[in-house]
């Protein structure tokens, strides 16, 4: 394994920390992962699932860059499903429900296999800062660990506070102490801190649920792995139950709404709009008669069930009452009651695109500390921060046109957050190009050139990509005349234009099965190859136009803005725009264009000023 000569300390063993540590180690740095408990590394703190629409794209991209999340879920997933399977390929979302114990074991095993990585069981109390640079951490024991860079991935631990009714429990999650001293240290550094909150539902006993009364949702017949290195899923697949709230449920909650920590005024932090508590749902969507709940078993040998869709901060007795109004839960036994958790985050506009703090070089932030929610968003940030911290030749940069990871990072550092950020396919301008099925085509070459991708994946990609290029070329070059097409029963215009396999496959009335009768090569394709070829055919015309859009986007991205550019020297810009530019410090004109409040006129003025400044230099 190569050695970069750099030492990187990663604080926190959640999804961001694990990806950051693995990435730094793959880069050849001496990576040290510091976590409270070695046994909780890879813990799924909330829902036992990976992926989804938008989120699944992130997991495939993490995998394309040789990260560990996809491999871990492939070893532990007990219900694989392709969301939006009937819709276009660009918005299909791979998702897998996990066996919590198997997932955690998989993450720990993958880290144990990683060279250059050491795990230290300790609490970090402070940072070592010399000459305006972070160069290590101080443990609660007083021991100092020095490094070239530090990656903070504190999750919900930064001055975390659990709320359940009137209960207030300082904790990062149930049973684990918060990072209070470290939170105070960051505040003393005058970083732009804020408070956010998230929540989790009660955990239920499997045997106390009336499963026979419920609709059941099975796994896909052919589970599609997340990792491009996984041939097939070996883990047993299960079904989950579907139920819903009702009028009686809503009445119990409404009558006790003032007891909710969210509605009593006890919580100042804002929660995720797209994953609201059940209290939020009945208040904000009062016209809805019911809300769907997925009853997800947490493991093959675990009698715990996660009721996805009803997170709550109501007191335990109220949670008992409303749960028992729900079909199938009449006699339910609660193993752990739901709660809300409030925690500190740092305004991500204070970061560069490598997720390094502008105010303190050498300190990188990743995960919920940057205002995001979700394992996938955390893992993606961890990978960028860990790789960048370990690099001696510049940061890992992924543009919006290259991947959802680029969209995520750019959104955070350019626009900031007013609520926990969650990835959706709608956030990407170029989503027709950024499909889950082509993540390795887009990002593995970039990761290989950066030194982030190992030999096994690089070789596997070379073989697969060469095969794909040959197939794609054949599909473009193999053609038939309109008369030949008509003879095979395909309805095309009699315009004399020869149509390729890709052209014919783009027609709604022509299927892969139809063409395989003419071209036996298509019958031998794997399901993944067939789906990818169909996707390329479906979007062929749109992709050409999108390529032109991306070329225009790259021109904006290529125009760099000096880090010390003086925006006060542009009186033609409004004071508000100047202030936002000064706060965000965009690296390029493209990034500046995505700052909230930036108008076309302001962008034109800034473009002229930059060109004048460049000529003057």
């Amino acid at each position: 394994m190569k050695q970069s000569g750099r030492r990187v300390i990663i604080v926190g063993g959640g999804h961001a920390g694990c990806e950051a540590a693995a990435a730094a180690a793959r880069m050849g740095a001496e990576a040290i992962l510091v976590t409270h408990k070695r046994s909780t590394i890879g813990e799924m703190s909330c829902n036992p699932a990976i992926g989804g629409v938008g989120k699944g794209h992130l997991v495939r991209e993490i995998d394309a860059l040789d990260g560990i999340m996809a491999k871990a879920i492939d070893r532990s997933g007990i219900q694989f499903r392709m969301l939006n399977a009937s819709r276009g390929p660009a918005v299909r979302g791979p998702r897998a429900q996990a066996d919590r114990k198997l997932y955690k074991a998989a993450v720990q095993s993958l880290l144990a296999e990683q060279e250059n990585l050491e795990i230290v069981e300790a609490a970090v109390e402070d940072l070592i800062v010399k000459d305006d640079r972070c160069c290590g951490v101080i443990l609660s024991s007083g021991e100092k660990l020095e490094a070239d860079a530090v990656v903070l991935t504190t999750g919900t631990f930064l001055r975390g506070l659990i709320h359940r009714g009137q209960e207030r429990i300082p904790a990062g999650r149930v049973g684990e102490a918060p990072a209070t001293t470290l939170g105070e240290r960051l505040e003393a550094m005058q970083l732009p801190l804020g408070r956010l909150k998230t929540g989790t539902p009660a955990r239920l006993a499997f045997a106390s649920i009336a499963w026979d009364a419920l609709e059941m949702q099975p796994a896909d017949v052919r589970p599609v792995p997340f990792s491009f290195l996984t041939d097939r899923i070996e883990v047993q697949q299960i079904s989950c139950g579907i139920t819903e709230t009702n009028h009686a449920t809503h009445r119990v909650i409404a009558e006790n709404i003032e007891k909710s920590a969210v509605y009593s005024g006890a919580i100042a932090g804002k929660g995720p709009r797209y994953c609201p508590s059940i209290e939020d749902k009945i208040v904000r969507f009062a016209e809805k008669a019911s809300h769907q709940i997925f009853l997800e078993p947490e493991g093959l040998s675990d009698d715990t069930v996660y009721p996805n869709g009803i997170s709550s901060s109501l007191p335990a007795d109220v949670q008992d009452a409303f749960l028992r109004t729900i079909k199938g839960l009449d006699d339910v036994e609660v193993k752990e009651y739901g709660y809300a958790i409030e925690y500190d985050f740092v305004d991500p506009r204070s970061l560069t695109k490598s997720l390094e703090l502008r105010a303190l070089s050498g300190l990188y932030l990743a995960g919920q500390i940057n205002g995001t929610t979700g394992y996938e968003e955390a893992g993606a940030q961890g990978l960028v921060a860990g790789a960048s911290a370990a690099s001696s030749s510049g940061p890992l940069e992924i543009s919006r046109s290259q991947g959802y990871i680029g969209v995520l990072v750019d959104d955070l550092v350019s626009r900031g957050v007013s609520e926990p950020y969650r990835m959706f396919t709608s956030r990407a301008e170029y989503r027709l190009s950024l499909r889950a099925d082509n993540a390795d085509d887009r990002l593995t070459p970039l990761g290989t050139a950066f030194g982030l991708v190992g030999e096994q994946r690089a070789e596997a990609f070379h073989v697969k990509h060469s095969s794909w290029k040959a197939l794609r070329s054949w599909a473009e070059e193999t053609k038939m005349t309109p008369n030949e097409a008509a003879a095979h029963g395909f309805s095309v215009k009699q315009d004399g234009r020869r149509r390729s396999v890709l052209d014919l496959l783009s027609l709604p009335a022509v299927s892969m099965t139809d063409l395989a009768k003419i071209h036996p090569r298509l019958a031998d394709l794997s399901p993944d190859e067939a789906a990818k070829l169909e996707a390329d055919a479906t979007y062929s015309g749109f992709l050409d136009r999108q390529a032109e859009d991306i070329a225009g986007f790259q021109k904006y991205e290529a125009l760099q803005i000096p880090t010390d550019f003086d925006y006060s020297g542009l009186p033609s810009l409004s004071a508000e725009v100047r202030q936002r530019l000064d706060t965000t410090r965009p690296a390029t004109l493209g990034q500046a264009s995505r700052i909230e409040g930036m108008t076309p006129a302001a962008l034109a003025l800034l473009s002229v000023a930059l060109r004048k400044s460049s000529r003057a230099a």
Side-chain angles (χ1 to χ4, degrees):
M1 171 67 75
K2 62 187 177 182
Q3 296 289 331
S4 73
R6 289 178 65 80
R7 192 185 208 204
V8 179
I9 292 173
I10 299 91
V11 182
H15 296 80
C18 290
E19 292 293 352
R26 290 198 306 279
M27 291 287 294
E30 178 189 355
I32 301 174
L33 175 60
V34 183
T35 183
H36 284 112
K37 295 180 183 178
R38 182 187 292 263
S39 62
T40 61
I41 289 174
E43 188 82 63
M44 301 182 101
S45 301
C46 194
N47 64 314
I50 293 291
V53 179
K55 289 172 173 283
H57 290 69
L58 286 174
V59 182
R60 287 282 180 82
E61 292 183 358
I62 291 170
D63 181 67
L65 293 166
D66 221 4
I68 65 174
M69 183 175 285
K71 287 179 278 193
I73 190 61
D74 284 351
R75 295 183 187 183
S76 60
I78 55 178
Q79 194 202 55
F80 281 77
R81 295 185 65 241
M82 184 64 72
L83 307 186
N84 288 343
S86 62
R87 298 182 61 189
V91 293
R92 291 175 192 161
R95 182 186 190 271
Q97 189 178 317
D99 180 308
R100 284 188 190 275
K101 294 175 184 175
L102 290 179
Y103 184 85
K104 183 165 67 171
V107 170
Q108 293 181 13
S109 176
L110 288 163
L111 292 183
E113 296 165 9
Q114 179 64 59
E115 296 181 50
N116 302 335
L117 175 57
E118 177 187 357
I119 297 174
V120 173
E121 196 172 55
V124 171
E125 294 287 328
D126 203 353
L127 303 172
I128 301 173
V129 178
K130 297 178 182 177
D131 300 322
D132 295 324
R133 181 174 183 82
C134 182
C135 50
V137 299
I138 302 174
L139 307 182
S140 56
S141 64
E143 181 184 357
K144 294 182 178 181
L145 296 179
E146 297 193 347
D148 295 288
V150 173
V151 183
L152 284 186
T153 68
T154 52
T156 58
F157 280 71
L158 209 58
R159 292 195 286 196
L161 185 64
I162 283 177
H163 297 259
R164 183 188 291 135
Q166 297 303 308
E167 291 182 273
R168 305 288 178 269
I169 307 167
R173 58 184 168 221
V174 167
E176 296 190 52
T180 301
T181 306
L182 188 56
E184 291 170 350
R185 172 69 162 118
L186 296 182
E187 184 175 46
M189 291 167 59
Q190 297 185 323
L191 295 181
L193 297 177
R195 296 283 278 178
L196 292 174
K197 72 98 176 172
T198 188
T200 193
R203 304 303 197 273
L204 313 178
F206 186 98
S208 68
I209 296 172
W211 294 97
D212 290 346
L214 303 177
E215 175 190 350
M216 300 302 291
Q217 181 185 70
D220 287 345
V221 174
R222 188 185 76 86
V224 178
F226 270 91
S227 176
F228 296 103
L229 294 183
T230 303
D231 292 328
R232 61 183 179 275
I233 300 301
E234 304 284 0
V235 188
Q236 176 188 337
Q237 298 295 286
I238 66 167
S239 296
C240 69
I242 302 177
T243 186
E244 60 186 13
T245 62
N246 54 55
H247 177 72
T249 316
H250 297 187
R251 185 179 67 249
V252 171
I253 295 169
E255 289 173 352
N256 292 277
I257 198 73
E258 76 285 350
K259 297 178 184 177
S260 164
V262 175
Y263 284 89
S264 68
I267 296 179
K270 192 166 184 180
R273 182 192 320 179
Y274 302 105
C275 190
S277 67
I278 188 60
E279 298 97 288
D280 280 335
K281 287 180 180 179
I282 70 158
V283 170
R284 289 166 47 192
F285 310 109
E287 74 284 357
K288 291 202 68 173
S290 64
H291 296 281
Q292 197 169 53
I293 304 166
F294 292 90
L295 299 176
E296 302 175 341
E298 295 198 350
L300 299 175
S301 60
D302 192 332
D303 68 346
T304 307
V305 174
Y306 182 93
N308 196 338
I310 49 171
S311 67
S312 176
S313 64
L314 284 161
D317 61 329
V318 180
Q319 291 189 45
D320 271 327
F322 83 66
L323 283 167
R324 293 191 171 99
T325 66
I326 297 168
K327 183 179 180 181
L329 306 184
D330 311 65
D331 301 308
V332 75
E333 175 191 335
V334 177
K335 300 184 70 172
E336 176 72 49
Y337 290 97
Y339 59 85
I341 184 165
E342 192 177 21
Y343 55 93
D344 284 353
F345 81 102
V346 176
D347 186 338
R349 290 176 295 180
S350 61
L351 306 173
T352 67
K353 283 200 171 185
S354 65
L355 302 181
E356 183 180 25
L357 270 169
R358 288 198 304 271
L360 183 61
S361 61
L363 182 59
Y364 296 76
L365 310 182
Q368 284 174 288
I369 191 173
N370 291 339
T372 60
T373 182
Y375 307 143
E376 304 82 2
E377 291 87 348
Q381 293 171 73
L383 186 146
V384 170
S388 297
S391 173
S392 56
S393 58
L396 174 65
E397 292 191 357
I398 301 169
S399 79
R400 298 181 73 92
S401 63
Q402 290 176 305
Y404 277 86
I405 295 177
V407 173
L408 166 68
V409 171
D410 186 66
D411 279 352
L412 292 176
V413 303
S414 300
R415 298 168 178 166
V417 298
S418 57
E419 61 188 43
Y421 179 101
R422 178 177 178 175
M423 179 53 70
F424 294 101
T425 53
S426 58
R427 294 190 187 275
E429 302 93 326
Y430 310 114
R431 56 185 173 274
L432 299 186
S433 303
L434 309 181
R435 305 192 309 267
D437 64 19
N438 66 6
D440 56 342
D441 293 328
R442 293 184 279 110
L443 294 180
T444 300
L446 183 153
T448 301
F450 195 74
L452 183 58
V453 171
E455 291 181 7
Q456 180 192 7
R457 181 176 297 277
E459 177 59 26
F461 172 75
H462 174 71
V463 172
K464 179 184 173 184
H465 190 62
S466 297
S467 175
W468 167 250
K469 283 176 66 178
L471 172 63
R472 187 70 159 70
S473 296
W474 173 84
E476 290 176 328
E477 295 165 3
T478 303
K479 300 180 178 182
M480 62 176 68
T481 66
N483 287 335
E484 290 171 332
H488 289 293
F490 303 146
S491 178
V492 299
K493 289 182 179 179
Q494 295 297 311
D495 54 7
R497 183 170 71 86
R498 294 170 61 84
R499 285 166 174 81
S500 69
V501 168
L502 211 62
D503 292 331
L504 292 170
L505 199 53
S506 70
L507 301 175
V510 179
S511 69
M512 185 70 74
T513 304
D514 296 329
L515 288 172
K517 294 174 184 176
I518 306 165
H519 303 292
R521 178 174 183 174
L522 296 175
D524 295 331
L525 298 182
S526 70
D528 289 342
E529 288 174 319
K532 191 172 177 181
L533 193 64
E534 286 182 311
D536 271 17
T538 299
Y539 293 133
S540 57
F542 300 103
L543 289 172
D544 290 341
R545 290 195 291 274
Q546 194 158 95
E548 295 176 6
D549 293 340
I550 290 173
F553 162 81
Q554 289 171 340
K555 289 180 181 178
Y556 260 23
E557 296 301 303
L559 189 52
Q560 302 287 316
I561 301 178
T563 55
D564 59 351
F565 190 81
D566 183 11
Y567 295 105
S568 65
L570 301 176
S572 300
L573 295 179
S574 70
E576 180 185 6
V577 167
R578 288 200 305 273
Q579 190 273 328
R580 290 186 177 183
L581 286 166
D582 201 50
T583 298
T584 305
R585 286 279 147 192
T588 68
L589 189 63
Q591 186 184 349
S593 72
R594 295 183 290 277
I595 295 174
E596 186 179 1
M598 197 69 176
T599 65
L603 201 63
L605 287 168
L606 179 57
S607 175
V608 170
L610 287 171
R611 287 183 169 85
K612 285 182 178 178
S613 175
S614 176
R615 286 196 295 270

